[in-house]
Amino acid sequence: MTRRAITPGTFDPITRGHLDIITRAASLMDEVIVAVAASAGKHPMFSLPERTQLVREATQHLPNVTVEPFGNLLVDFARERDAKVIVKGLRAITDFEYEFQMNALNHQLDFDLETTFIMSPPEFMYLSSSIVREMASLGGDVAQFVPPCVQEALTKKFA
Ligand code: COA
């Protein structure tokens, strides 16, 4: 049986922290689908096609990783793709309560879907997309936090 996992997120934009989790998930699973959420309620800075494209570019070196946008419930998307596992990153302890709630809800919606967590390494513990967006908007150098394609996209966005 193919072990297929989903790593979901808004990815506005994808950071090296996300990439670390995706890479480690890809080494544990047969296939990983990075699911880029529409997340309309969050009013993302990059459009859904832009975010999807940036995740594709950032993960193109990982042969068992594919990238897809989605706009429905995560449990439904996982069912459609026949994925049995959701992999998420856990950064600081502050992530825990929210992830605990999401896991409980998703579990209630689909009993067969497991959520598993990978701890972020210390260097990415406090990294987030909004911090990256703010730094870039103020002309800061974000090279150590994002893949080159994202750095380029941010430079264009704030030119
Ligand atoms: N490295 C760096 N940053 C990370 C990270 C990591 N490993 N993991 C999370 N983050 C940051 C993100 O950058 C983002 O930062 P920001 O808020 O500063 O921009 C923040 O954590 C939240 O990440 P996001 O990708 O928006 O994920 P989320 O945990 O809020 O969940 C979905 C997003 C897509 C998984 C969730 O909204 C979902 O499942 N949506 C589909 C609809 C649905 O099913 N809803 C009901 C669920 S019960």
Side-chain angles (χ1 to χ4, degrees):
M1 200 179 82
T2 305
R3 289 171 306 162
R4 185 177 298 130
I6 291 198
T7 56
T10 306
F11 303 109
D12 186 35
I14 185 170
T15 67
R16 288 188 189 273
H18 293 126
L19 207 46
D20 172 74
I21 302 296
I22 295 165
T23 305
R24 287 156 66 195
S27 73
L28 294 169
M29 308 297 293
D30 297 320
E31 289 177 15
V32 170
I33 302 172
V34 184
V36 183
S39 295
K42 290 192 173 182
H43 305 291
M45 184 179 82
F46 288 100
S47 68
L48 183 56
E50 284 174 330
R51 286 181 279 131
T52 305
Q53 180 55 29
L54 287 172
V55 179
R56 281 209 178 107
E57 283 180 44
T59 58
Q60 64 188 356
H61 60 291
L62 299 169
N64 60 339
V65 172
T66 54
V67 184
E68 289 188 55
F70 80 107
N72 51 346
L73 276 177
L74 182 59
V75 289
D76 290 338
F77 180 77
R79 206 177 289 126
E80 284 163 18
R81 296 295 177 274
D82 199 24
K84 301 278 186 277
V85 184
I86 293 174
V87 177
K88 295 209 73 180
L90 260 192
R91 294 166 299 163
I93 194 80
T94 43
D95 276 349
F96 186 79
E97 179 109 25
Y98 172 75
E99 295 296 350
F100 197 75
Q101 181 188 18
M102 292 285 272
N103 175 49
L105 287 168
N106 284 334
H107 194 66
Q108 207 157 325
L109 292 171
D110 187 340
F111 190 75
D112 292 329
L113 190 62
E114 278 300 341
T115 303
T116 186
F117 296 94
I118 293 179
M119 301 282 274
S120 284
E123 66 268 34
F124 300 136
M125 209 48 112
Y126 293 98
L127 183 57
S128 78
S129 299
S130 54
I131 285 177
V132 163
R133 292 195 302 273
E134 184 175 354
M135 281 180 69
S137 74
L138 297 171
D141 182 1
V142 293
Q144 61 179 308
F145 304 120
V146 296
C149 61
V150 171
Q151 193 184 7
E152 209 175 294
L154 285 166
T155 305
K156 275 191 197 143
K157 201 57 110 182
F158 293 111

